Each structure stands twice: as structure tokens, then as C-alpha cells.
């Protein structure tokens, strides 16, 4: 048996989607499953921490030439409906299997309208019944998968995952000049950027003047740029909010590993209710205390006052109070960070999912 993870994402370097592909591949290899990441349209090949990857121009041709009976096509392809149907039918004709990852609501990352509803319905009705297995990241997505897949389809829920190197190690430490760190987007819909700045503005008078908010990423690409700058001016935060611009992975990790606090201000929209933020896994694995709103799958894993500071969504005052509380109790902040890292080691380390994922793969067709 061999598993081919098919993806249009970059590899091995990339954003959150690439990160999840790496975690899947490493977990499968760790579970004794022969696994290859197939990138298209792409060129080149290599080895990443025991995982082979191969770039191809024509993925359907590559699969036709290499897929054997009992092998598995693992689709990490988003919305490519016609291609995935062809791949699923090819797998069935070869006595192979076809599975997919479900880490977000299909067509659910932007505004919802009749067009997105139509495309989601087509995907659910045409692709899902052809699948032999679905790996979902949340309870809501697991429910969606079971509702639309065939009775014989196998299911497993796999949460956010982190790679063990770089984060889950070392002693707890913070920079001598404390700061909050943000490594997400500057989008209100996804990351609640405006609410985070408002909360910091409200908290700032009660914090040490040296506490800053360091934000990594491309502010110029944000549709909320002018609102962000307006809030900074309104709360007189010009000397306290620092924009680093885009950072390379190693630079970002250095900032994260020394931060005193992180914030995830999620709104209850379709993207956040169904998904599970990769950033949260990184924050926890780095032992960084997290202030987070009570939205989505994260609430199945986090405990207020133990592994995170959990606040009601949409309540800027509560978010601000949590920031003040965290900086007013360094020992409590440290304990929450360490408890978060323990949770990440136990539940989100990708290698902890080697046996469950290998068992899932071996169950296909039984």
C-alpha cells in the first residue's frame, strides 16, 4: 500500500495548508505507511524529514502510471471538483481508494451567498459520495462529512497539528521588554484584527508603558488598513504597535518564542465555526499564553484559566480585561503557557497521530 498526497500547495515551504500536508505526511510515514507528496503543476523532487515529494505537470497521467491496487489517493485539492471526480473514479477502477482532508467548510472562507451555496452543494453531492474516507478537523465538519458521504465511507477527526521541532522544547521564557505577538492576517473576518487593536487600546493605560503589540504580516494588503491606522491614532498607540512586515519562518518563530501573550479574536462566521486555527497550535506549542474568543472547535480542547484565557466573542471589554489580567499575573500567565504546551504535546504533535492515521488508512475497504 502506498499513499499519494495530491496537492497544488507549495512544498515543503509554504503557509498553513502546506504545514498541514507536512504533518499528514510525517504522521503517515511515522505510522509505517509508504507516503509520497505529489505537487502539481510543479517540477523537481526531494526529501523532507523522511517524506518524499515529487513535482509533476500532469497529475492525472502520473496517477495512471503509478497507482496500484490497494493504494490510496489523498486529495488536498480544495475545490477542483471535476479533477477529483476523475481521480476518485480512477482509484475505484484500479481497486485503490480515494480520501480527502476537510479542514474548512468548502467555499466557506469568504462571504456567503447563493453562488457559494451552489458550488458547495455540487461538491457535497458529487464528490463526497465517491470518497472512501474523510479526515475532518472539527466536529462540525465531521458532521457535514457523515451527512454527505456514502455509508461505507470511513471517518476520522484529526485536529490542528504541529511539527515537534522548534516549538515543543526548551524552558519557558519571555523577552525582557514584554510584547503581544500577532502572526495572522490583517482581516477582520478571519482574525478580528480591529477588535484586537481596540482591546489593546483599552488595556494600554493599565499596562506598563513598555508593553508593545508586535504584528507580523503585510498591512498594505488588508482591506481594513485605513480602519486599523485610524484605531491606532484614536487610541494613541503609534509608539506601541509595531508592524514588522512579512517575516520568514525563522524570524517569525523567534518573535513568537519570546512573546508574553498572543490573541485570537475569532468571530462566529462560517470559516471560524467550522475550521481550527493552525496559529493556535503554534502558539500553544511555543508555550505562549493565548487570549481567545469562545468560537469553534478550539472550545473542545481549551479550558479557561488553565490552557487559555477564554473570552466571549464580540466582547471587546472582556478581551481587554483578559490582557490586563495576563500582564498583572506573570506566574499565572506562565502556567497557562506551560499548560498549553502540555496540551499541544499530547494532542497536537503530528507524530502523536501516526498510529490513528495509519489505522484509518488500513481500515479502508474493510
Amino acid at each position: 500500500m502506498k499513499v499519494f498526497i495530491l496537492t497544488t500547495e507549495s512544498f515543503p515551504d509554504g503557509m498553513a495548508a502546506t504545514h498541514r500536508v507536512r504533518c499528514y505526511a510525517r504522521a503517515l510515514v511515522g505510522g509505517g505507511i509508504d507516503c509520497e507528496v505529489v505537487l502539481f503543476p510543479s517540477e523537481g523532487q526531494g526529501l523532507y524529514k523522511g517524506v518524499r515529494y515529487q513535482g509533476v505537470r500532469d497529475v492525472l497521467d502520473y496517477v495512471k502510471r503509478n497507482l496500484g491496487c490497494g493504494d490510496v489517493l489523498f486529495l488536498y485539492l480544495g475545490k477542483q471538483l471535476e479533477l477529483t471526480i476523475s481521480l476518485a473514479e480512477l482509484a475505484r477502477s484500479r481497486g485503490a481508494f480515494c480520501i480527502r482532508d476537510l479542514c474548512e467548510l468548502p467555499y466557506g472562507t469568504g462571504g456567503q451567498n447563493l453562488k457559494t451555496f451552489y458550488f458547495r452543494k455540487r461538491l457535497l453531492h458529487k464528490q463526497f459520495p465517491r470518497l472512501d474516507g474523510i479526515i475532518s478537523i472539527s466536529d462540525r465538519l465531521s458532521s457535514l462529512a457523515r451527512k454527505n458521504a456514502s455509508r461505507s465511507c470511513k471517518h476520522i477527526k484529526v485536529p490542528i497539528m504541529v511539527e515537534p521541532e522548534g516549538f515543543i522544547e526548551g524552558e519557558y521564557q519571555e523577552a525582557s521588554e514584554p510584547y503581544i505577538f500577532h502572526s495572522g492576517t490583517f482581516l477582520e473576518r478571519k482574525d478580528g484584527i480591529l477588535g484586537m487593536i481596540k482591546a489593546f487600546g483599552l488595556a494600554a493605560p493599565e499596562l506598563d508603558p513598555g508593553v508593545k503589540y508586535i504584528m507580523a504580516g503585510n498591512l498594505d494588503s488588508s482591506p481594513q488598513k485605513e480602519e486599523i491606522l485610524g484605531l491606532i491614532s484614536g487610541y494613541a498607540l503609534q509608539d506601541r504597535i509595531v508592524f514588522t512586515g512579512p517575516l520568514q519562518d525563522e524570524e517569525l518563530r523567534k518573535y513568537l518564542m519570546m512573546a508574553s501573550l498572543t490573541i485570537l479574536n475569532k468571530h462566529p462566521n462560517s470559516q471560524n465555526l467550522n475550521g481550527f486555527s493552525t496559529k493556535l497550535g503554534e502558539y500553544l506549542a511555543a508555550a505562549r499564553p493565548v487570549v481567545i474568543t469562545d468560537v469553534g472547535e478550539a472550545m473542545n480542547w481549551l479550558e479557561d484559566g488553565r490552557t487559555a484565557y477564554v473570552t466571549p466573542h464580540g466582547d471587546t471589554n472582556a478581551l481587554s480585561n483578559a490582557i490586563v489580567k495576563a500582564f498583572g499575573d506573570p506566574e499565572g500567565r506562565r502556567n497557562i503557557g506551560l499548560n498549553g504546551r502540555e496540551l499541544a504535546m499530547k494532542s497536537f504533535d503530528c507524530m502523536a497521530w501516526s498510529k490513528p492515521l495509519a489505522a484509518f488508512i488500513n481500515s479502508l475497504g474493510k
Side-chain angles (χ1 to χ4, degrees), residues 14 88 102 118 128 150 165-166 170 238-239 243 245 280 293 302 307 314 366:
L102 190 59
Y118 168 74
F128 278 46
S150 69
E165 300 85 4
Q238 292 91 336
D239 294 331
F243 295 103
L280 175 61
T293 49
L302 297 176
T307 50
K366 295 182 179 179

Side-chain angles (χ1 to χ4, degrees), residues 5 7 9-30 35-37 39 47-53 74 76 101 161-165 167 249 253 278 282 349-351 353-354 357:
I5 302 180
T7 183
E9 303 295 333
S10 60
F11 192 91
D13 299 316
M15 304 299 287
T18 298
H19 170 93
R20 191 156 176 86
V21 171
R22 290 201 310 256
C23 286
Y24 274 134
R26 292 189 64 188
L28 288 170
V29 170
C35 178
E36 177 180 281
V37 177
L39 318 168
L47 189 68
Y48 172 78
K49 297 184 179 179
V51 175
R52 296 190 308 278
Y53 59 93
F74 185 161
Y76 203 99
D101 164 89
M161 292 184 287
V162 296
E163 295 180 87
E165 300 85 4
F167 288 120
D249 285 348
R253 185 170 300 183
T278 298
E282 295 174 350
D349 181 346
C350 67
M351 303 313 293
W353 286 93
S354 289
L357 281 169

Side-chain angles (χ1 to χ4, degrees), residues 1-4 34 63 65-74 91-92 94-99 132 361 364:
M1 172 189 287
K2 182 173 182 178
V3 174
F4 297 89
D34 186 10
V63 170
R65 289 187 288 106
N66 290 278
L67 187 68
C69 181
D71 289 344
V72 179
L73 296 181
F74 185 161
R92 181 161 297 181
R94 295 283 181 89
F97 305 100
C98 190
I99 67 175
D132 300 293
I361 294 295
L364 296 174

Side-chain angles (χ1 to χ4, degrees), residues 207-245:
L207 304 178
D208 185 288
V211 176
K212 289 183 169 52
Y213 205 152
I214 297 180
M215 296 189 164
N218 187 1
L219 176 62
D220 290 334
S221 67
S222 172
Q224 280 84 44
K225 178 181 177 180
E226 295 306 316
E227 292 176 87
I228 290 170
L229 295 177
L231 286 172
I232 291 172
S233 176
Y235 285 103
L237 299 172
Q238 292 91 336
D239 294 331
R240 302 192 68 168
I241 291 186
V242 179
F243 295 103
T244 68

Side-chain angles (χ1 to χ4, degrees), residues 100-333:
R100 70 158 288 166
D101 164 89
L102 190 59
C103 62
E104 61 185 28
L105 179 68
Y107 299 94
T109 58
Q112 298 299 286
N113 51 45
L114 288 176
K115 184 177 180 180
T116 57
F117 177 80
Y118 168 74
F119 283 120
R120 183 183 306 127
K121 185 176 181 179
R122 286 187 70 235
L123 186 74
L124 294 174
H125 288 184
K126 291 182 176 293
Q127 183 198 84
F128 278 46
R130 291 176 162 88
L131 298 172
D132 300 293
I134 301 177
I135 306 174
S136 303
I137 202 171
S138 68
D139 282 344
R140 288 174 69 103
L141 290 177
S142 181
S143 176
L144 181 75
R146 292 176 187 277
K147 180 179 178 181
N148 290 278
S150 69
R151 290 186 178 182
S152 62
C153 184
K154 304 292 184 180
H155 298 270
I156 184 174
K157 188 177 84 167
V158 177
I160 49 175
M161 292 184 287
V162 296
E163 295 180 87
E165 300 85 4
F167 288 120
I168 306 175
E169 60 184 19
E171 297 295 324
Y172 182 90
Q173 55 184 326
E174 295 181 8
S176 57
E177 297 182 357
Y179 58 86
I180 305 170
F181 186 60
H182 172 72
S183 60
T185 69
F186 293 108
L187 300 176
E188 180 63 14
R189 174 179 175 78
K190 182 179 181 182
D191 285 327
I193 185 68
L194 300 178
M196 289 193 290
I197 293 175
K198 288 178 184 178
F200 182 59
L202 292 171
E206 300 186 55
L207 304 178
D208 185 288
V211 176
K212 289 183 169 52
Y213 205 152
I214 297 180
M215 296 189 164
N218 187 1
L219 176 62
D220 290 334
S221 67
S222 172
Q224 280 84 44
K225 178 181 177 180
E226 295 306 316
E227 292 176 87
I228 290 170
L229 295 177
L231 286 172
I232 291 172
S233 176
Y235 285 103
L237 299 172
Q238 292 91 336
D239 294 331
R240 302 192 68 168
I241 291 186
V242 179
F243 295 103
T244 68
L247 297 176
Q248 297 297 319
D249 285 348
E250 191 57 34
E251 293 177 288
L252 189 148
R253 185 170 300 183
K254 288 179 180 179
Y255 272 109
L256 176 59
M257 293 297 289
M258 298 299 289
S260 298
L261 195 67
T262 58
I263 303 174
L264 287 172
N265 179 34
K266 297 293 186 180
H267 298 311
N269 54 43
S270 60
Q271 182 174 11
N272 295 331
L273 287 171
N274 288 279
F276 199 179
S277 174
T278 298
K279 291 192 299 295
L280 175 61
E282 295 174 350
Y283 292 171
L284 294 172
R288 296 307 91 189
V290 180
V291 176
I292 187 170
T293 49
D294 59 350
V295 173
E297 180 68 20
M299 294 303 101
N300 290 331
W301 302 86
L302 297 176
E303 180 183 345
D304 181 36
R306 185 177 180 279
T307 50
Y309 300 93
V310 180
T311 68
H313 62 271
D315 190 336
T316 306
N317 287 324
L319 207 62
S320 174
N321 291 339
I323 295 171
V324 174
K325 180 179 180 180
F327 280 100
D329 182 9
E331 185 63 22
R333 186 171 74 239

